[in-house]
């Protein structure tokens, strides 16, 4: 069919061999498992809020009124052969999918893989992460048990708290007064059709862009901006990635077999008048729960107390600010960094995180910010488990959510500089051997040996973070006259940010003391 030349060229495409590149594959294969197990579950799940009286095999709930969605979930769990195993594999795969995407995004961020020409690939990845969170929320709500209903109640509270559009958005989503009779069927359509379909399109675009632009690679010997060092797609990479898919499948199957997750039969059917004690959402939404618990009960009354126009900041801020700051910051960061540094070159060699200390510090600060909110989403369980005041955990969380990222930034920056100094010392003096030699003058010195060629090439690939340099006017011969781009407030701010963010913090020492090497 005339495809031999095309196949031969593409099957010999080189993929770099580094463990960190497997993180994206974890998310990809978890998504494949989600599609397969989700298809199985659709055969028996009934996305309906219609009222039924349970008459299945689970005795504690016999005769209890519930929705058809909850009853069909119980049927899948107890009456469909292999149903509970598939349900649990599906849930564990969802957690692995989102977790894999998060860790993959961190790898891309910390190594600078989002830089030109991969800005669009990064934007697609952040969009997929956002859709994955929505897929998790909609899927989590489908069983209509008391735990998922509590989360749905939080969603309704967030929507209705939005100024001006809150009630319209709530009625549009729920199809009427909460909880309405349409929410499960609407979430079902979103969960199995719209969101997965969009994810498939974006994932395909993500992979095509990676294929066309070629894969980034870690610095090392013989690795340049114009080549990729690794193994061909076929047979080497194909064999390894197939085995890795089987490893991921084995892991989630083992979790689904031996680790119970989301036992909906223990919670009972959802009722708006009830709430489950100690309820916790899945980890990827835990930070929103923590933000809601930490935020003080503040509100703004635009037209006076008790009048229309009340904005409950205690709900709006936790719902919009943390997620907005993280996702918006991720989307804009490649362009902000390019604006600050003035660097518009193409980058195909990755940076070690230590070699860009400010970017690494910003990333760790975001992780700590997320982590504090996630941890304090369980402040009631922390208080009861460790027998401490609930108010004390809340007040501590309010301090940590601000002080934690600041401390993380300072500590990470100092650690990055220390690691750079360690690299410079290794290049300048070699690796300590532990052998002590006495000099003719009586002094003692430890012998050092030169670095292995591959390791030295890895360290010497370090480049200074670019700093904005503008052209001076031809008439400007005075070195005290600023460049044209720095002659307004924004330009001066940009110049100061560039000087702080960029530059060589710890130069590599080119001298090597040969008298102390062997």
């Amino acid at each position: 069919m005339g495809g031999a030349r095309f196949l031969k060229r593409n099957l010999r495409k080189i993929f770099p061999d580094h463990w960190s590149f497997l993180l994206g594959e974890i998310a990809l294969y978890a998504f494949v498992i989600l599609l397969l197990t989700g298809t199985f579950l659709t055969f028996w799940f009934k996305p309906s809020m219609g009222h039924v009286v349970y008459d299945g095999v689970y005795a504690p709930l016999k005769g209890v009124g519930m929705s058809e969605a909850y009853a069909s979930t119980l049927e899948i769990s107890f009456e469909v052969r292999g149903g509970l195993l598939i349900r649990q594999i599906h849930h564990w795969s969802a957690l692995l999918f989102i977790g894999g995407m998060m860790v993959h995004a961190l790898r891309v961020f910390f190594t600078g893989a989002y830089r030109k020409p991969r800005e669009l690939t990064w934007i697609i990845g952040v969009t997929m992460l956002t859709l994955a969170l929505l897929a998790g929320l909609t899927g989590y709500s489908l069983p209509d048990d008391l735990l998922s209903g509590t989360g749905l109640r939080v969603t309704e509270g967030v929507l209705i708290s939005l100024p001006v559009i809150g009630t319209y958005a709530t009625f549009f989503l729920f199809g009427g007064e909460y909880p309405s009779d349409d929410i499960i069927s609407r979430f079902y359509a979103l969960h199995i059709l719209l969101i997965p379909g969009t994810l498939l399109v974006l994932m395909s675009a993500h992979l095509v862009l990676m294929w066309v632009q070629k894969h980034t690679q870690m610095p090392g010997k013989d690795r340049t901006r114009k080549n990729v060092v690794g193994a061909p797609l076929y047979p080497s990479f194909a064999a390894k990635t197939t085995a890795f898919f089987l490893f991921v499948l084995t892991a989630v199957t083992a979790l689904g077999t031996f680790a119970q997750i989301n036992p909906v039969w223990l919670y009972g059917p959802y009722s708006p008048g009830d709430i489950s004690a100690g309820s916790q959402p899945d980890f990827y939404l835990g930070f929103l729960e923590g933000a809601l618990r930490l935020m003080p009960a503040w509100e703004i009354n635009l037209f006076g107390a008790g009048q229309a126009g009340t904005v409950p900041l205690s709900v709006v801020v936790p719902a919009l600010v943390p997620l907005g700051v993280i996702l918006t910051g991720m989307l804009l960061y490649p362009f902000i960094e390019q604006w600050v540094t003035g660097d518009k070159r193409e980058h195909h060699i990755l940076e070690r995180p230590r070699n860009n200390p400010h970017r690494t510090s910003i990333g760790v600060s975001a992780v700590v910010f997320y982590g504090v909110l996630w941890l304090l989403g369980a402040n009631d369980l922390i208080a009861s488990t460790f027998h401490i005041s609930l108010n004390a955990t809340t007040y501590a969380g309010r301090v940590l959510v601000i002080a934690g990222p600041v401390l993380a930034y300072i500590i990470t920056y100092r650690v990055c500089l220390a690691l750079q100094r360690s690299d410079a010392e290794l290049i300048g003096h070699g690796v300590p051997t532990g052998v002590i030699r006495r000099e003719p003058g009586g002094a003692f010195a430890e012998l050092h040996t030169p670095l292995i060629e591959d390791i030295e090439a890895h360290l010497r690939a370090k480049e200074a973070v670019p700093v904005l340099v503008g052209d001076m006017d031809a008439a400007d011969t005075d070195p005290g006259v600023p460049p044209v781009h720095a002659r307004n407030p924004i330009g001066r701010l940009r110049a100061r940010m560039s000087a702080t963010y960029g530059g060589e913090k710890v130069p590599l020492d080119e001298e090597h003391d040969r008298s102390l090497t062997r």
Side-chain angles (χ1 to χ4, degrees), residues 189-430:
L190 291 172
H191 185 70
I192 72 163
L193 183 63
L194 183 60
I195 297 177
T198 308
L199 279 172
L200 277 173
V201 172
L202 292 176
M203 196 170 293
S204 300
H206 193 80
L207 294 174
V208 168
L209 283 173
M210 183 272 293
W211 190 277
V212 171
Q213 293 173 341
K214 81 179 184 180
H215 210 296
T216 55
Q217 59 184 339
M218 300 299 291
K221 182 183 176 182
D222 300 328
R223 297 175 184 179
T224 68
R225 294 184 180 91
K226 298 182 179 181
N227 71 354
V228 177
V229 178
L233 171 63
Y234 182 83
S236 178
F237 181 77
K240 288 190 291 186
T241 196
T242 301
F244 194 61
F245 169 72
L246 296 176
F247 292 154
V248 174
L249 178 60
T250 301
V252 294
T253 303
L255 286 170
T257 303
F258 299 109
Q260 178 176 272
I261 188 169
N262 200 24
V264 295
W265 53 89
L266 298 181
Y267 309 136
Y270 176 63
S271 170
D274 299 328
I275 187 170
S276 57
S279 59
Q280 305 293 323
D282 284 332
F283 85 93
Y284 49 85
L285 293 177
F287 74 103
L288 291 177
E289 178 82 8
L292 285 167
R293 297 187 183 205
L294 293 183
M295 184 68 188
W298 295 344
E299 65 180 29
I300 297 176
N301 296 294
L302 300 179
F303 307 109
Q307 303 297 319
T310 298
V311 181
L313 298 179
S314 56
V315 178
V316 174
V317 171
L320 301 182
V321 172
L323 193 61
V325 167
I326 293 176
L327 293 179
T328 305
M330 291 174 68
L331 285 171
L332 297 180
Y333 196 87
F335 308 100
I336 294 174
E337 184 181 69
Q338 191 176 104
W339 180 77
V340 169
T341 62
D343 183 16
K344 296 185 179 181
R345 302 171 298 165
E346 289 194 356
H347 295 274
H348 302 291
I349 301 294
L350 300 176
E351 282 187 311
R352 303 173 75 202
R354 67 185 67 182
N355 292 338
N356 196 320
H358 281 291
R359 179 176 64 210
T360 303
S361 301
I362 290 171
V364 173
S365 297
V367 171
V368 170
F369 176 71
Y370 172 91
V372 171
L373 292 179
W374 170 81
L375 182 65
L376 270 297
N379 64 341
D380 54 341
L381 295 180
I382 294 173
S384 63
T385 302
F386 296 100
H387 305 289
I388 55 179
S389 168
L390 178 63
N391 289 336
T393 62
T394 303
Y395 297 145
R398 290 174 181 173
V399 174
L400 286 174
V401 78
I402 298 174
V406 175
L407 289 175
Y409 188 99
I410 296 172
I411 294 171
T412 303
Y413 185 78
R414 303 309 304 177
V415 169
C416 286
L417 294 187
L419 292 173
Q420 286 191 42
R421 293 190 186 98
S422 175
D423 291 343
E425 184 178 355
L426 286 175
I427 289 179
H429 302 287

Side-chain angles (χ1 to χ4, degrees), residues 17 44 99 102 114 117 119 125 170 181 184 228 233 257-258 276 354 437 486 515-516:
D17 189 9
W44 287 276
M102 288 180 173
Y114 55 80
E119 299 96 333
T170 303
D181 294 329
I184 295 298
V228 177
L233 171 63
T257 303
F258 299 109
S276 57
R354 67 185 67 182
R437 183 178 69 183
S515 64
L516 298 180

